[in-house]
Amino acid sequence: MDYQQTLQEKVALCLSLQGAKETFPFDSKTHALTIGAKIFALIHMYHGDLYVSVKCQPERIDLLRDEYMSIKPGYHLNKKHWITLVINEEYDVEAETEFALIKNSYQLIFDKLPKKAQNTVRFSAND
């Protein structure tokens, strides 16, 4: 598996969402995907695996972790609100589910933005 290509595909998937931006606030290798300057996804390589961390409703986290072995508690994040998809040779999350989790995280962050920031996102064009 070409993890660098997969990383770029995941970043592109996140950037396809309205108003999403890519930043590097932590280091040059951790891709932080933001909406209204708030992070909705973190993507990076760690020990040969690709990690995609997204926000999730607390009541869904245990269900997802029970169903998928590739879904772990949020890596270096609040484990009550974040999950990490560990992408490696044993990755068991379907593409549709993965995209739904990313969109869900985006929506959770968007809904918490002030109305002015939401309107800025709504009327922005992705670069």
Side-chain angles (χ1 to χ4, degrees):
M1 180 182 278
D2 182 352
Y3 290 114
Q4 282 303 320
Q5 179 180 342
T6 304
L7 182 147
Q8 291 307 317
E9 290 169 359
K10 303 306 176 200
V11 168
L13 186 67
C14 291
L15 289 174
S16 73
L17 300 169
Q18 182 71 33
K21 305 253 186 268
E22 179 181 25
T23 63
F24 296 88
F26 307 111
D27 58 41
S28 63
K29 295 181 182 187
T30 303
H31 303 254
L33 288 302
T34 65
I35 181 73
K38 301 285 185 185
I39 295 172
F40 72 90
L42 291 167
I43 304 173
H44 69 283
M45 295 293 299
Y46 184 70
H47 290 290
D49 294 333
L50 180 61
Y51 281 44
V52 178
S53 298
V54 293
K55 195 160 189 175
C56 188
Q57 294 88 342
E59 62 273 10
R60 295 183 60 204
I61 290 176
D62 287 337
L63 298 171
L64 288 165
R65 289 182 50 214
D66 288 345
E67 186 172 349
Y68 299 100
M69 69 174 216
S70 298
I71 295 181
K72 307 290 184 193
Y75 179 75
H76 284 290
L77 297 162
N78 181 331
K79 287 154 186 39
K80 181 178 178 186
H81 297 282
W82 289 81
I83 56 174
T84 297
L85 306 155
V86 180
I87 301 173
N88 55 29
E89 296 300 327
E90 291 99 37
Y91 190 60
D92 64 344
V93 179
E94 304 85 12
E96 299 82 24
T97 302
E98 177 184 290
F99 189 51
L101 290 169
I102 291 169
K103 286 194 307 186
N104 180 63
S105 180
Y106 171 94
Q107 194 63 50
L108 287 170
I109 299 300
F110 180 83
D111 290 346
K112 294 286 185 182
L113 293 175
K115 293 296 178 201
K116 184 175 180 180
Q118 287 182 5
N119 287 332
T120 300
V121 170
R122 281 189 187 106
F123 298 110
S124 71
N126 278 0
D127 300 335

